[in-house]
């Protein structure tokens, strides 16, 4: 497979994710409440993934028992709680803060893998967890820069910390299902569970939204979150990950953060300060340490190649 196509897919997914942080600030909460926006995104994606599942794996079913309960847990954590916490947090804090706190997900993945799967925690990874946590705490407690739009940055940052945590748990839990079933089978079930929960939480807000106030730009931004953020970004990422190494895909976590900053500053939704720069450096150093493979595991991987 052409390296250019792989990079293009990874960059396209990173750009879609990065633009969301600033575009969503136009939308929430001025035109639509976060939980109502989640209803549109999750229900829309659930319908699309159900259709894709019928096309790609029409006769496949998730087995009753442990797999069903795991899929339900994935829907609760990775779809419902993840999306509600992300959009509520983003509505209350600034785009750059939100993007930086998202980088904590790999740290949660490592901790959850150690607790649930028995993976080894090396000293470097323990140090990385500590640095990431310190950087996140400093960022959460910091005040937004002058001119940055943040209704309640402390609460918003805490929501995003929760978002990174539940998504990290989802990544660990969904892995065995993805290896056993077709991806669309898993996603259709997870989004179905998530859609039921977000409808219970957000349907009143979705019904109460004054859609007559929506301009074509606001409708386009809402459509972007449903079509591009949920569906296209997922397809680009999963296609690229079939051919890209974990190290290469990990680099694009950092590329995404750079794009978030560029877009936020260009659109005037956030500003870069010295405080944010050194807090970001602490978090990203922690993520880098956590992402390093233990020497024994790396040697085994090289031998297998």
């Amino acid at each position: 497979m052409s390296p250019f196509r792989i990079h293009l897919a990874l960059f396209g997914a990173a750009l879609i994710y990065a633009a969301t942080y600033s575009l969503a600030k136009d939308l929430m909460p001025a035109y639509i409440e976060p939980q109502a926006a989640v209803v549109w995104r999750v229900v829309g994606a659930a319908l699309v993934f159900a259709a894709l599942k019928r096309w790609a794996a029409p006769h496949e079913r998730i087995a009753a028992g442990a797999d069903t309960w795991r899929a339900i847990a994935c829907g609760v954590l990775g779809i419902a709680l993840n999306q509600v916490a992300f959009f509520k947090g983003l509505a209350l804090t600034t785009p750059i803060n939100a993007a930086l706190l998202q980088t904590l997900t790999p740290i949660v993945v490592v901790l959850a893998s150690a607790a649930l799967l028995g993976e080894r925690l090396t000293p470097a990874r323990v140090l990385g967890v500590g640095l990431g946590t310190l950087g996140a705490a400093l960022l959460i407690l910091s005040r937004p820069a002058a001119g940055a739009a943040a209704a309640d940055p402390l609460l918003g940052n805490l929501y995003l910390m929760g978002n990174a945590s539940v998504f990290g748990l989802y990544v660990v839990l969904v892995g065995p299902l993805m290896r056993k079933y077709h991806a669309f089978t898993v996603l259709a079930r997870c989004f179905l569970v998530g859609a039921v929960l977000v409808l219970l939480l957000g349907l009143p807000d979705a019904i109460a939204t004054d859609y007559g106030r929506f301009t074509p730009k606001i409708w386009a931004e809402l459509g972007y979150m449903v079509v591009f953020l949920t569906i296209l970004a997922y397809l680009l990422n999963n296609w690229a990950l079939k051919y890209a190494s974990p190290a290469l895909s990990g680099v694009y976590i950092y590329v995404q953060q750079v794009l978030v900053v560029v877009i936020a500053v260009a659109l005037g939704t956030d500003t870069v300060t010295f405080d944010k720069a050194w807090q970001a450096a602490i978090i990203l150093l922690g993520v880098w340490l956590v992402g390093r493979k233990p020497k024994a595991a790396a040697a085994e991987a090289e031998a297998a190649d």
Side-chain angles (χ1 to χ4, degrees), residues 3-286:
F4 175 76
R5 290 184 179 181
I6 296 169
H7 281 280
L8 188 63
L10 288 169
F11 182 82
L15 182 60
I16 289 171
Y17 287 127
T20 301
Y21 291 89
S22 289
L23 295 180
K25 295 296 290 184
D26 278 348
L27 202 60
M28 305 177 305
Y31 287 90
I32 189 170
E33 290 298 319
Q35 289 181 181
V38 171
V39 168
W40 278 85
R41 183 185 175 188
V42 172
V43 173
L47 294 173
V48 171
F49 284 125
L52 289 172
K53 190 268 179 193
R54 288 182 65 85
W55 166 71
H59 304 299
E60 187 177 55
R61 298 288 184 271
I62 292 178
D67 286 355
T68 291
W69 286 110
R70 182 180 288 267
I72 291 172
C74 289
V76 173
L77 293 171
I79 309 303
L81 295 182
N82 170 46
Q83 293 303 317
V84 170
F86 175 73
F87 281 104
K88 286 183 76 70
L90 186 57
L92 295 172
T93 191
T94 65
I96 294 176
N97 280 16
L100 291 175
L101 288 168
Q102 290 288 293
T103 62
L104 294 176
T105 296
I107 293 176
V108 178
V109 170
V110 166
L111 291 175
S113 297
L116 300 176
L117 304 179
E119 290 191 7
R120 186 162 63 94
L121 277 178
T122 64
R125 284 183 166 181
V126 171
L127 176 61
V129 169
L131 287 174
T133 304
L134 173 63
L138 292 170
L139 185 65
I140 286 170
L141 296 173
S142 67
R143 294 183 178 181
D152 190 339
L154 176 58
L155 182 59
N157 291 342
L158 288 172
Y159 269 121
L160 288 160
M161 186 80 167
N163 159 249
S165 299
V166 296
F167 188 71
L169 289 171
Y170 163 78
V171 168
V172 174
L173 290 172
V174 82
L177 293 177
M178 287 292 190
R179 289 189 288 271
K180 188 173 181 180
Y181 303 98
H182 193 285
F184 289 149
T185 300
V186 177
L187 285 169
R189 177 65 63 85
C190 292
F191 269 90
L192 175 61
V193 173
V196 171
L197 289 177
V198 300
L199 282 170
L200 291 173
L201 293 171
L203 187 58
D205 284 342
I207 293 173
T209 300
D210 183 4
Y211 296 104
R213 295 178 56 236
F214 281 28
T215 64
K217 178 186 176 185
I218 296 301
W219 277 114
E221 288 172 344
L222 184 60
Y224 175 92
M225 289 198 297
V226 176
V227 177
F228 285 83
L229 179 61
T230 304
I231 301 163
L232 183 58
Y234 169 81
L235 294 175
L236 287 172
N237 251 335
N238 278 265
W239 178 84
L241 289 174
K242 290 181 180 179
Y243 308 102
S245 67
L248 178 60
S249 61
V251 167
Y252 277 88
I253 294 174
Y254 302 97
V255 172
Q256 181 181 320
Q257 311 318 313
V258 174
L259 291 172
V260 169
V261 173
V262 171
I263 293 170
V265 172
L267 295 179
T269 56
D270 205 349
T271 56
V272 178
T273 65
F274 176 75
D275 283 345
K276 279 185 180 176
W278 67 262
Q279 290 158 359
I282 293 174
I283 293 173
L284 295 178
L285 175 60

